[in-house]
Amino acid sequence: MVDSTSSIYILKVESMHSNNILTQSIEYLKGVGPKRAALLNKELGVFTCRDLLFQYPFRYEDRTKFHKIKDLTEQSDMVQLRGVVRRLDLVGEGRKRRLVARLRDDTGAIELVWFQGATWMEKKLLIGSEYIAYGKINSFNGKLSIPHPEMESITEAGLKKESSFAPVYASTEKLNTRGIDRKVRRSLMQAIFAKLQPYDIQENLPDYMIEKLRLPPRMAAIRQIHFPKNQKEVETARKRLKFEELFFLQLRLLQLKQHRKDTIKGIPFPKIGDYFNTFYKEKLPFELTNAQKRVLKEIRKDLGSGAQLNRLLQGDVGSGKTIVGLMCMLIALDNGCQACLMAPTEILAQQHFQGISEYVEGMDIRVDFLSGSIKGKKRKALLADLKEGKIHILIGTHALIEDWVEFKNLGISITDEQHRFGVKQRAKLWHKNKPYPPHILVMTATPIPRTLAMTLYGDLDVSVIDELPPGRKEIETKHWTEHHRLRVIGFMKEEIAKGRQIYVVYPLIEESEKLDLQNLMDGYDQMQREFPPPTHQISIVHGRMKPADKDFEMQRFVEGTTQIMVATTVIEVGVNVPNASVMIIENTERFGLSQLHQLRGRVGRGAEQSYCILMSSYKLSAESRERIQTMVRTNNGFEIAEADLRLRGPGNMAGTQQSGILNFRLADLAKDQRILQTAREIAARILDQDAQLTKPIHARLKQYMDTHGKRLKAWSRIS
Ligand code: ADP
Ligand code: MG
């Protein structure tokens, strides 16, 4: 009773203040008016005071400290100096005209430079007077200077008592030139806070959590992120707000996961039968790794539970995901169901078809293949057999999800390289069986960083194969530049003489397709000059070729007729030629890390020592260099995925674009792993004890989820 009355009270208080400052249009904020409001709408998408409040500063101007001139280095970023102007020189002519001032403190001197407003500045500054200079250090040939510093004479500074640790907001040129500069932005924020009442921003975390995690209350954190006294306050405020972002997303994801488990039944697979056992005892050509065994156990548990399996299988290139997938399909067969395996390209699907057909040879299992290239009578017959249940395992491309593909009883659907399929495409698989949806297993091409998996696929179960089959030799990776071209050719000759085969891969991205194609053809010509027929044969494969021609060229390489395969990234996915032991990547700087790792994974599949040679120009950006160094340093896909996330940011990783979910205000999946981990653990614990959040202690969580939870979309449910 007490509870219900108090919640009624809360409702009343809220409605009384429903037109609080936050819902107000910014037009009526002190210092705005219709013109500025229109500008803020257009430039920042800000309409209400709430919108403005939630645009947090992206950095702060620390004017609390003074730097000594002798301590400045190239790495010093924004610095504040206090010194006397000793010289003022207007130098240069025309567009190069500039004012150079020499500022000296008791430790040294530095040049301050103005290109714009030089004459005006020259009049304003007084030689012999003391100033505070604030600006960004610039370094040219080792010489430091500060272009366009903000200058304040000591007397001016003395008069002002403004906060010396000030927020800087993301802005646009228009805003700045039309008078909404840093200082105005700050004053707008001050105007909001002047009117803000404690109940305008409600706490959304239970008190016990705030205490236990030592977080500031929500209102305090929001105030503090706009107006901190120092860096430490910034960190505290950020931590609280990041936690909140990540926590509510995890709460939502785990709720969805639970909800799915509670409401969606799966086809029960109680039995492990002849198919599985025969394969395991008689066909399996090697001992499973411990990781493979563990993952199989995890999957079997789901399959037997009566719930629907909805699992992401992660594993490095070559870790043996396919065989695990196949064994899951055999469990479906043992329970009287069909299975399908979908791959993103024709080539990869074909390889799976061949590989799996070989694995189950002599087992009375009918494996068939479907893609866009299967047409007419052949397709008709196949579809009829599928519907009658005569086909046990269907392997193919996205053709599998078309509406006209009907199964008799699809028990499990496996998707290889899942990130290449759209969310909607994958969703269709759910409808391929009635009344229960098939079990769903999706496999990655390369590992995904943990934090990304936790958010992007946070409502799926995840299994990880973190071990490679024994006996693999590490691929030796080298970084060479154009200067080493002769050495590369020489090395290729040696390897070919030993009977090996070689890939040479060129980038091909759409914007510069013509140029890239030219590059590829030049490379092909060079190879033909260096490796002329009849002793040598070269395959070439690129995206502009007809599928039949591509297959023909590919086939020649697979059979060993050709020694060199010159190609674009079309060979990235899945191709398996164990005799190929050298991967040469041209213009390495233009490839992303995960793509490089994928490409490298094409070699190292046989018994021989394999090599990966990363060719690049001599000059490289810092980021390209780090990418290449990462490749040289490690073969571990998990490590590479982490580096990729760090370098590119979560928004640019494969599979994240379509989700839109990673638009955090503050949280950064590359840096906030620990906060995320904590958030997920706490969310899980809470739902364990109180799945519906009905306990009074969780009232704030429930209220928040009821109002905002829907916005946290369920994007991967359909995987
Ligand atoms: P990926 O995880 O990249 O899809 P695959 O499933 O294609 O890897 O497996 C790569 C290769 O390793 C295949 O040739 C497969 O037969 C082999 N393989 C898989 N598991 C084992 C194992 N436990 N022991 C030895 N070889 C294995
Ligand atoms: Mg694979």
Coordinates of all heavy atoms in Angstrom, one line a residue, residues 321-322 352 416-417, ligand 2:
K321 N 35.4 -24.0 -37.3 CA 34.0 -23.8 -37.0 C 33.1 -24.7 -37.9 O 32.1 -25.1 -37.4 CB 33.7 -22.3 -37.3 CG 34.4 -21.3 -36.4 CD 34.0 -19.9 -36.6 CE 34.6 -19.3 -37.9 NZ 36.1 -19.0 -37.8
T322 N 33.6 -24.9 -39.1 CA 32.7 -25.7 -40.0 C 32.3 -27.1 -39.5 O 31.2 -27.5 -39.5 CB 33.4 -25.9 -41.4 OG1 34.0 -24.6 -41.7 CG2 32.4 -26.3 -42.4
H352 N 31.9 -25.2 -49.1 CA 31.2 -25.9 -48.0 C 30.5 -27.2 -48.5 O 30.5 -28.2 -47.9 CB 30.2 -25.0 -47.4 CG 30.9 -24.1 -46.3 ND1 31.8 -24.5 -45.5 CD2 30.6 -22.8 -46.0 CE1 32.2 -23.5 -44.7 NE2 31.5 -22.4 -45.0
D416 N 27.2 -18.8 -42.1 CA 28.6 -18.6 -42.0 C 28.9 -17.2 -42.4 O 28.2 -16.6 -43.2 CB 29.4 -19.5 -43.0 CG 30.8 -19.7 -42.7 OD1 31.2 -19.3 -41.6 OD2 31.6 -20.2 -43.5
E417 N 29.9 -16.6 -41.7 CA 30.3 -15.2 -42.0 C 29.1 -14.3 -41.9 O 28.7 -13.5 -42.8 CB 30.8 -15.1 -43.5 CG 31.7 -16.3 -43.9 CD 33.1 -16.0 -43.7 OE1 33.5 -14.9 -43.3 OE2 33.9 -17.0 -43.7
Ligands
MG2 MG 34.9 -20.8 -42.2

